[in-house]
Structures are given as C-alpha cells and as structure tokens.
Amino acid sequence: MAAGAAEAAEAAAAVAEVGSARQFEELLRLTAKSLLVVHFWAPWAPQCVQMNDVMAELAKEHPHVSFVKLEAEAVPEVSEKYEISSVPTFLFFKNSQKVDRLDGAHAPELTKKVQRHVSSGSFPPSANEHLKEDLNFRLKKLTHAAPCMLFMKGTPQEPRCGFSKQMVEILHKHNIQFSSFDIFSDEEVRQGLKTYSNWPTYPQLYVSGELIGGLDIIKELEASEELDTICPKTPKLEERLKVLTNKASVMLFMKGNKQEAKCGFSKQILEILNSTGVDYETFDILEDEEVRQGLKTFSNWPTYPQLYVKGELVGGLDIVKVSAFHCYSQELKNLTC
C-alpha cells in the first residue's frame, strides 16, 4: 500500500502546475533546451482529469521531458495569448517556441506527438529553409486537394468556432461542394497557412488552390450573388446516383463493406458474389443517408442490398439467390476483365 502511494506521489510530482503568467514565462526560460508539454485544463471537465493521468504516465516514460498543467480559466492572459478556446488543449514548446498543438482528449495522439518530438530533437538552424520549402509544398498540395477547400476549426459536422459554423452554413445553403481540413489537427498547417496565404485568421476558403478569403469576404460574395459563380456546386442527387451505380461494372450497395457486412442479407450476398469470382465494388449506405434514401426512389427498390450491373439494377438478395444468376456469372466476369 505504501509503495502504491509513493508511486502515485512520484507521478503527481512529475507533472508540475503553473499558477501565473509570470511563472509560465519563467518555466519557458528554464526548459528552453528541452521539450515542454503544457496541458491547459479545467477541474470541472472530467476529460481533463483523465488526461492529467495520461500526462503522469508519459512523465514516467520520458523523464527528460517537462510536463506541466495550467488551469486555463485561472491564467486567462496565457490562455488568450495562445488562443485556447476549449479544454483540454496541449501545447508543445522547444527552445521557448511553440512547435505543436493538440486540441481535445486524444490520449493516443498525445502519446504519438510526445514520442515524435522526443525522437526528432531540435532542428539545426541550417535546416530551417529546407523545412520551409517542404511545408510550402505540403500547403500547396492541401489547398489543391479538392476544387473547393475549406480550412476551418473543427469539421463541417462539428465546427469548433462560430465563424467556421457560419461559413459551413453558407456553403451548404448554396449547395456548394467542398472538402475541409481541421486546422486543430495540425499545428504546422495552422501556423504555416497564415504566412503562405498572407491571411491571419480562420476559416479560409480556397477554390482551385487560390485563396478566396475568410467569412467576411464570403458574406460579401453571397450578398453580391457572386458566390454561386465562383464555387463548384454539389451534383444533384440523381446525377450522383447515376455516377455511383456506374462506378464499376458490378456495383453492390450494402450495409457495410467487402471486409465487414453489417447485416445478414448483405453478408449472404457477399458470399454469393465471392463464390462466383466476379470482380465488384461496394458502397456502404450506412455512411451516406442521402444515397441510402435516394437510391430507393431512383431504383424503385425499397430494401438493401441492391446489385447493379453496368448501371442497371439486377435486384436484391432474393433475385441474386436464384440459379439464373449463376448462369450468367461468367458473363459478369467478362464484363470486369
């Protein structure tokens, strides 16, 4: 019992606590030559308490890393300086400079980031230009990743700031097709894109790799009715379903995928298709409610799975089960050759 208490006390001692901005600045100076991990937390948030336990374990594994917790609401000047808008948030410092960030209670990601920074060490000054070139190449790739790219805080499903939420609402309202990147997931991109685009805030919207602007610009474009001419539109559902049903010579719309069927009927039809040796692709209707409901009307077939050959509906499990299907399985094989 005494040994367990001593171990707990040692773990607690390994994670220091900062209570003022002055103390934090002094800590940055003292730990300049090592990696410093700061947990911005709140005692009322259970996920923060759990992540403090994770920090304690990491402190035991990495004795040369400084782990610190800072109550975000108790030291607002530090929280505001580093744009802490939610807890838990983790900041990583090297040479007194912030080098990385993690938002949210993601223990595996925190562990991975600590290990990566420990193994990478400090970059020599001569490598700075090379790193900048690599980052610019990556940012160029990301801004061109889709015809319309939104860099935002959070995701379209879960925006993590009001401006990002408004931007998503405008794009959806105008039926604009876009992909997104959560800047909270990558501190290097979050900071680098500000310089790359010469635009200091988020969200940022790009079309064909070119910056259009932030929320204010998008609102102006919406008001002048220019937005619809600049951004690509989401295809109408019927057009999308035509493309999907013709994506492969043999297309199966099912619950789950080839590796894991999520209902008995889908599992049975997979077994039949696999027994024929036919090449086919699958679409998981559980991941797209619009397709799931729309395909029922499009094909006039109310249930799943649904099998299509060259864009034409063959039928569901009952149709595929009949012996006639096996009679033309060789023809299907020829279609996919």
Side-chain angles (χ1 to χ4, degrees):
M1 192 74 146
E7 188 176 330
E10 182 185 344
V15 180
E17 186 156 9
V18 169
S20 70
R22 184 176 177 182
Q23 192 181 355
F24 180 75
E25 292 300 326
E26 181 65 13
L27 182 70
L28 278 180
R29 186 181 66 78
L30 292 173
T31 59
K33 295 190 181 299
S34 63
L35 175 65
L36 170 66
V37 182
V38 183
H39 177 199
F40 289 81
W41 76 298
W44 47 261
Q47 64 269 37
C48 288
V49 177
Q50 293 166 5
M51 292 307 289
N52 277 335
D53 293 337
V54 173
M55 289 261 286
E57 289 301 313
L58 287 170
K60 286 192 272 184
E61 291 176 31
H62 302 283
H64 299 298
V65 177
S66 299
F67 292 90
V68 173
K69 58 181 183 177
L70 185 153
E71 192 175 333
E73 293 169 353
V75 194
E77 53 268 58
V78 176
S79 298
E80 288 170 13
K81 179 179 179 180
Y82 292 102
E83 300 179 358
I84 307 300
S85 56
S86 62
V87 292
T89 293
F90 299 86
L91 298 186
F92 298 75
F93 293 85
K94 278 183 182 178
N95 300 320
S96 301
Q97 299 296 315
K98 185 181 65 164
V99 294
D100 205 351
R101 178 184 183 117
L102 174 66
D103 291 79
H106 307 295
E109 187 64 23
L110 176 63
T111 303
K112 192 191 308 179
K113 281 180 178 284
V114 169
Q115 290 170 342
R116 186 170 74 238
H117 286 295
V118 167
S119 62
S120 68
S122 297
F123 294 111
S126 58
N128 286 347
E129 284 305 313
H130 179 63
L131 289 173
K132 188 176 177 182
E133 286 175 15
D134 286 348
L135 177 58
N136 282 343
F137 177 75
R138 187 171 170 229
L139 293 174
K140 185 175 182 180
K141 252 180 110 176
L142 282 172
T143 54
H144 285 83
C148 187
M149 276 295 296
L150 174 64
F151 292 82
M152 62 180 289
K153 293 180 179 180
T155 65
Q157 295 74 31
E158 291 184 38
R160 295 179 65 181
C161 84
F163 298 138
S164 292
K165 185 172 186 285
Q166 288 182 61
M167 178 76 90
V168 168
E169 287 171 351
I170 290 172
L171 296 179
H172 281 158
K173 175 183 167 186
H174 288 264
N175 197 32
I176 290 168
Q177 186 175 22
F178 68 98
S179 294
S180 68
F181 185 95
D182 180 1
I183 57 154
F184 279 150
S185 70
D186 194 312
E187 184 64 13
E188 186 181 51
V189 170
R190 179 180 184 174
Q191 297 303 332
L193 198 60
K194 294 177 183 179
T195 305
Y196 178 85
S197 62
N198 195 26
W199 195 272
T201 59
Y202 291 99
Q204 294 182 16
L205 187 71
Y206 291 75
V207 173
S208 300
E210 295 294 325
L211 176 68
I212 301 302
L215 180 61
D216 289 344
I217 300 294
I218 299 308
K219 282 183 172 179
E220 289 174 11
L221 291 172
E222 181 185 32
S224 66
E225 300 184 353
E226 291 178 73
L227 187 63
D228 290 320
T229 64
I230 293 171
C231 299
K233 293 285 190 175
T234 302
K236 290 182 180 177
L237 180 57
E238 187 172 346
E239 292 172 8
R240 190 174 168 221
L241 294 175
K242 281 180 183 176
V243 170
L244 282 174
T245 54
N246 283 278
K247 188 178 176 184
S249 296
V250 181
M251 275 296 296
L252 176 64
F253 292 80
M254 60 178 288
K255 294 179 180 178
N257 52 48
K258 281 185 182 182
Q259 290 71 39
E260 184 186 4
K262 292 185 177 176
C263 81
F265 298 139
S266 292
K267 185 180 178 185
Q268 288 182 60
I269 203 166
L270 281 181
E271 289 170 351
I272 294 170
L273 287 173
N274 290 335
S275 71
T276 64
V278 171
D279 288 330
Y280 64 96
E281 296 293 330
T282 63
F283 185 95
D284 185 357
I285 54 144
L286 297 178
E287 293 187 353
D288 194 317
E289 188 63 19
E290 185 182 52
V291 170
R292 180 180 184 174
Q293 298 303 331
L295 199 59
K296 294 177 183 177
T297 305
F298 179 81
S299 61
N300 195 26
W301 195 273
T303 59
Y304 290 98
Q306 292 182 17
L307 183 70
Y308 290 75
V309 175
K310 284 192 167 182
E312 295 296 324
L313 176 68
V314 173
L317 177 62
D318 290 343
I319 301 296
V320 175
K321 269 183 174 179
V322 299
S323 57
F325 177 78
H326 294 276
C327 293
Y328 67 84
S329 63
Q330 186 57 47
E331 182 183 343
L332 290 178
K333 288 182 191 178
N334 294 336
L335 285 173
T336 58
C337 288

